[in-house]
Amino acid sequence: AGWEEDGGEEWQSLPCDIFQAPPLVPVGCNSFTLPLPGGGGVAVRPRRSLFERTGSGAEAAAAVREGVGHGADKGRMTGALLWDSAVVLASYLAASRPAAAARAQSRPISGELAAGWRGACVEVGAGLALPGLTAAALGWTTTLTDRQECLPLLAAGAAENGLGEAVAVAPLAWGDPAAASALGTFDLVLASDCVYEVESAAPLVASLSALVRRGGEGRGGEVLLAFDEAIGRHAAVAAFRALATSSFEWEELAHELKESVRLVRLRPRASEGEA
């Protein structure tokens, strides 16, 4: 027996691409929970009506009132859905929590760094904030940031996970130095599904550079970044990497959740004064 021609080509009507791995976030899911080590989990609620900007009620009214975004978000509210890269990044945080927590607690605070010290984590372009909420649940003091229209989602996610008092929510437009300066600097900066437009590469790198804590002798902070090459934004990835590697050391991290998702650690390059 061997392969036979399928004249009807019924395989073309299958509900998924049989040549690609299935998504980590099921299509159409309205609730997703990431298990945590030791029990419990972090839950987020994707909102397709907000994504399509067709919803009603307080959340939809707030999104319209605060503006309808630009670029990829002009016709859709991308932060209202959960994307596979966020699952990869949050899972990595959960798996590496003991080492990360020990590193944060043992890092010394020098006098010149005390004013900007947070000993904490910030997520940029957070959307539903699965990575940032995971960091908060694991003990990090966490700030979640995004455009103004996404802030109700961030606040709701923190409250629904019992993290309302442990999490701060703040607006942050990428490339806005005053807004980044107002937040301070952080040991850990998280970003998932933020690399998808060439035009946003420079503002994103500028904000990451402004938010990550710098320090010599290995005392600086780091960025953990995840993006999915399956969405086909190769020009955006190339533009981001070219800019990021001028300010950061780029290290790809291994994981086994989804082959097309790249997980990257960025560490600030030492300036002449820090070397």
Side-chain angles (χ1 to χ4, degrees):
W3 295 103
E4 296 182 1
E5 191 72 24
D6 182 359
E9 296 185 338
E10 278 123 355
W11 62 272
Q12 292 189 16
S13 64
L14 291 173
C16 62
D17 187 341
I18 62 174
F19 301 108
Q20 291 187 7
L24 300 176
V25 181
V27 176
C29 85
N30 55 21
S31 179
F32 185 95
T33 300
L34 180 79
L36 295 178
V42 174
V44 294
R45 293 191 298 116
R47 295 163 169 85
R48 179 161 292 276
S49 63
L50 288 180
F51 169 73
E52 297 172 347
R53 301 194 185 279
T54 59
S56 60
E59 288 179 334
V64 172
R65 184 170 62 250
E66 301 296 346
V68 294
H70 55 83
D73 286 295
K74 189 171 185 178
R76 301 171 299 173
M77 186 177 174
T78 57
L81 293 187
L82 180 63
W83 305 90
D84 286 354
S85 295
V87 176
V88 170
L89 180 52
S91 299
Y92 179 83
L93 288 173
S96 60
R97 187 259 181 179
R103 190 165 61 245
Q105 293 169 4
S106 64
R107 183 173 290 149
I109 306 173
S110 61
E112 64 270 23
L113 293 176
W117 173 258
R118 285 293 192 276
C121 163
V122 62
E123 183 175 6
V124 303
L128 295 178
L130 181 64
L133 292 172
T134 299
L138 295 173
W140 296 87
T141 300
T142 302
T143 301
L144 306 176
T145 71
D146 211 318
R147 298 184 318 281
Q148 191 72 37
E149 69 167 348
C150 292
L151 299 191
L153 294 177
L154 300 180
E160 289 167 7
N161 284 279
L163 298 169
E165 296 184 0
V167 169
V169 171
L172 178 66
W174 299 344
D176 183 341
S181 177
L183 292 173
T185 57
F186 297 82
D187 289 291
L188 183 62
V189 181
L190 304 175
S192 67
D193 305 290
C194 292
V195 181
Y196 54 83
E197 289 184 336
V198 172
E199 295 78 8
S200 67
L204 176 57
V205 171
S207 289
L208 297 178
S209 298
L211 292 168
V212 69
R213 191 170 73 87
R214 296 177 180 271
E217 301 179 0
R219 293 194 299 267
E222 64 186 36
V223 178
L224 290 179
L225 170 84
F227 58 89
D228 194 345
E229 292 185 332
I231 68 175
R233 301 299 182 97
H234 305 301
V237 171
F240 175 83
R241 181 164 186 165
L243 291 167
T245 51
S246 66
S247 302
F248 295 96
E249 296 178 0
W250 180 288
E251 178 191 1
E252 297 215 10
L253 304 174
H255 71 89
E256 299 180 352
L257 290 180
K258 185 181 180 183
E259 185 177 1
S260 63
V261 173
R262 296 289 174 261
L263 183 61
V264 179
R265 174 185 286 121
L266 301 176
R267 290 197 173 102
R269 294 188 182 277
S271 65
E272 292 184 2
E274 297 169 345

mmCIF file of all heavy atoms in Angstrom, residues 37 92-103 105 137-140:
data_model
loop_
_atom_site.group_PDB
_atom_site.id
_atom_site.type_symbol
_atom_site.label_atom_id
_atom_site.label_comp_id
_atom_site.label_asym_id
_atom_site.label_seq_id
_atom_site.Cartn_x
_atom_site.Cartn_y
_atom_site.Cartn_z
ATOM 1 N N PRO A 37 3.838 26.520 39.938
ATOM 2 C CA PRO A 37 4.473 25.497 40.772
ATOM 3 C C PRO A 37 3.985 25.600 42.205
ATOM 4 O O PRO A 37 3.845 26.691 42.754
ATOM 5 C CB PRO A 37 5.971 25.842 40.664
ATOM 6 C CG PRO A 37 6.018 27.267 40.217
ATOM 7 C CD PRO A 37 4.804 27.473 39.372
ATOM 8 N N TYR A 92 7.907 30.224 31.151
ATOM 9 C CA TYR A 92 9.330 30.310 31.465
ATOM 10 C C TYR A 92 9.539 30.938 32.837
ATOM 11 O O TYR A 92 10.359 30.483 33.641
ATOM 12 C CB TYR A 92 10.052 31.123 30.392
ATOM 13 C CG TYR A 92 11.536 31.276 30.646
ATOM 14 C CD1 TYR A 92 12.428 30.275 30.268
ATOM 15 C CD2 TYR A 92 12.046 32.412 31.267
ATOM 16 C CE1 TYR A 92 13.786 30.408 30.509
ATOM 17 C CE2 TYR A 92 13.400 32.549 31.512
ATOM 18 C CZ TYR A 92 14.260 31.544 31.132
ATOM 19 O OH TYR A 92 15.611 31.684 31.387
ATOM 20 N N LEU A 93 8.786 32.002 33.124
ATOM 21 C CA LEU A 93 8.889 32.645 34.437
ATOM 22 C C LEU A 93 8.529 31.666 35.550
ATOM 23 O O LEU A 93 9.218 31.578 36.575
ATOM 24 C CB LEU A 93 7.954 33.845 34.504
ATOM 25 C CG LEU A 93 8.333 35.083 33.711
ATOM 26 C CD1 LEU A 93 7.198 36.090 33.772
ATOM 27 C CD2 LEU A 93 9.617 35.693 34.222
ATOM 28 N N ALA A 94 7.436 30.943 35.358
ATOM 29 C CA ALA A 94 6.993 30.006 36.388
ATOM 30 C C ALA A 94 8.023 28.909 36.620
ATOM 31 O O ALA A 94 8.297 28.525 37.766
ATOM 32 C CB ALA A 94 5.649 29.396 35.996
ATOM 33 N N ALA A 95 8.617 28.415 35.534
ATOM 34 C CA ALA A 95 9.572 27.317 35.656
ATOM 35 C C ALA A 95 10.879 27.761 36.296
ATOM 36 O O ALA A 95 11.538 26.976 36.983
ATOM 37 C CB ALA A 95 9.841 26.715 34.278
ATOM 38 N N SER A 96 11.271 29.029 36.077
ATOM 39 C CA SER A 96 12.568 29.499 36.575
ATOM 40 C C SER A 96 12.436 30.355 37.818
ATOM 41 O O SER A 96 13.378 31.000 38.242
ATOM 42 C CB SER A 96 13.275 30.313 35.484
ATOM 43 O OG SER A 96 12.503 31.435 35.109
ATOM 44 N N ARG A 97 11.277 30.341 38.438
ATOM 45 C CA ARG A 97 10.989 31.238 39.554
ATOM 46 C C ARG A 97 11.997 31.152 40.690
ATOM 47 O O ARG A 97 12.450 32.176 41.185
ATOM 48 C CB ARG A 97 9.577 30.979 40.071
ATOM 49 C CG ARG A 97 9.123 31.990 41.121
ATOM 50 C CD ARG A 97 9.219 31.474 42.514
ATOM 51 N NE ARG A 97 8.746 32.473 43.477
ATOM 52 C CZ ARG A 97 8.710 32.286 44.764
ATOM 53 N NH1 ARG A 97 9.120 31.128 45.255
ATOM 54 N NH2 ARG A 97 8.295 33.232 45.581
ATOM 55 N N PRO A 98 12.405 29.970 41.182
ATOM 56 C CA PRO A 98 13.308 29.956 42.332
ATOM 57 C C PRO A 98 14.610 30.700 42.069
ATOM 58 O O PRO A 98 15.046 31.507 42.879
ATOM 59 C CB PRO A 98 13.539 28.452 42.574
ATOM 60 C CG PRO A 98 12.323 27.799 42.006
ATOM 61 C CD PRO A 98 11.970 28.629 40.797
ATOM 62 N N ALA A 99 15.215 30.463 40.883
ATOM 63 C CA ALA A 99 16.477 31.133 40.565
ATOM 64 C C ALA A 99 16.271 32.628 40.400
ATOM 65 O O ALA A 99 17.072 33.447 40.855
ATOM 66 C CB ALA A 99 17.078 30.535 39.293
ATOM 67 N N ALA A 100 15.162 33.008 39.754
ATOM 68 C CA ALA A 100 14.907 34.421 39.522
ATOM 69 C C ALA A 100 14.659 35.152 40.834
ATOM 70 O O ALA A 100 15.161 36.258 41.059
ATOM 71 C CB ALA A 100 13.710 34.590 38.587
ATOM 72 N N ALA A 101 13.888 34.550 41.722
ATOM 73 C CA ALA A 101 13.591 35.197 42.993
ATOM 74 C C ALA A 101 14.852 35.350 43.841
ATOM 75 O O ALA A 101 15.091 36.394 44.454
ATOM 76 C CB ALA A 101 12.540 34.393 43.756
ATOM 77 N N ALA A 102 15.686 34.313 43.864
ATOM 78 C CA ALA A 102 16.918 34.391 44.631
ATOM 79 C C ALA A 102 17.831 35.475 44.081
ATOM 80 O O ALA A 102 18.475 36.214 44.825
ATOM 81 C CB ALA A 102 17.630 33.033 44.615
ATOM 82 N N ARG A 103 17.880 35.580 42.760
ATOM 83 C CA ARG A 103 18.721 36.583 42.126
ATOM 84 C C ARG A 103 18.248 37.984 42.499
ATOM 85 O O ARG A 103 19.029 38.867 42.815
ATOM 86 C CB ARG A 103 18.706 36.390 40.612
ATOM 87 C CG ARG A 103 19.732 37.237 39.885
ATOM 88 C CD ARG A 103 19.924 36.746 38.446
ATOM 89 N NE ARG A 103 18.709 36.825 37.678
ATOM 90 C CZ ARG A 103 18.054 35.777 37.197
ATOM 91 N NH1 ARG A 103 18.472 34.565 37.439
ATOM 92 N NH2 ARG A 103 16.962 35.933 36.475
ATOM 93 N N GLN A 105 16.475 38.899 45.191
ATOM 94 C CA GLN A 105 16.589 39.186 46.613
ATOM 95 C C GLN A 105 18.030 39.390 47.046
ATOM 96 O O GLN A 105 18.301 40.120 48.000
ATOM 97 C CB GLN A 105 15.955 38.041 47.405
ATOM 98 C CG GLN A 105 14.434 37.951 47.221
ATOM 99 C CD GLN A 105 13.861 36.674 47.790
ATOM 100 O OE1 GLN A 105 14.574 35.878 48.381
ATOM 101 N NE2 GLN A 105 12.584 36.462 47.597
ATOM 102 N N ALA A 137 2.215 36.944 40.857
ATOM 103 C CA ALA A 137 1.799 35.793 41.652
ATOM 104 C C ALA A 137 2.994 35.059 42.245
ATOM 105 O O ALA A 137 2.880 34.403 43.289
ATOM 106 C CB ALA A 137 0.965 34.837 40.797
ATOM 107 N N LEU A 138 4.150 35.180 41.587
ATOM 108 C CA LEU A 138 5.363 34.517 42.064
ATOM 109 C C LEU A 138 6.161 35.393 43.017
ATOM 110 O O LEU A 138 7.249 35.013 43.439
ATOM 111 C CB LEU A 138 6.233 34.115 40.866
ATOM 112 C CG LEU A 138 5.629 33.059 39.945
ATOM 113 C CD1 LEU A 138 6.495 32.863 38.707
ATOM 114 C CD2 LEU A 138 5.441 31.738 40.679
ATOM 115 N N GLY A 139 5.653 36.565 43.335
ATOM 116 C CA GLY A 139 6.299 37.368 44.362
ATOM 117 C C GLY A 139 6.949 38.650 43.909
ATOM 118 O O GLY A 139 7.427 39.422 44.735
ATOM 119 N N TRP A 140 6.994 38.912 42.608
ATOM 120 C CA TRP A 140 7.578 40.169 42.142
ATOM 121 C C TRP A 140 6.587 41.312 42.367
ATOM 122 O O TRP A 140 5.379 41.144 42.180
ATOM 123 C CB TRP A 140 7.877 40.086 40.642
ATOM 124 C CG TRP A 140 8.913 39.074 40.267
ATOM 125 C CD1 TRP A 140 8.704 37.760 39.999
ATOM 126 C CD2 TRP A 140 10.318 39.300 40.122
ATOM 127 N NE1 TRP A 140 9.896 37.145 39.688
ATOM 128 C CE2 TRP A 140 10.894 38.068 39.759
ATOM 129 C CE3 TRP A 140 11.125 40.420 40.252
ATOM 130 C CZ2 TRP A 140 12.266 37.928 39.531
ATOM 131 C CZ3 TRP A 140 12.486 40.283 40.025
ATOM 132 C CH2 TRP A 140 13.046 39.049 39.673
#
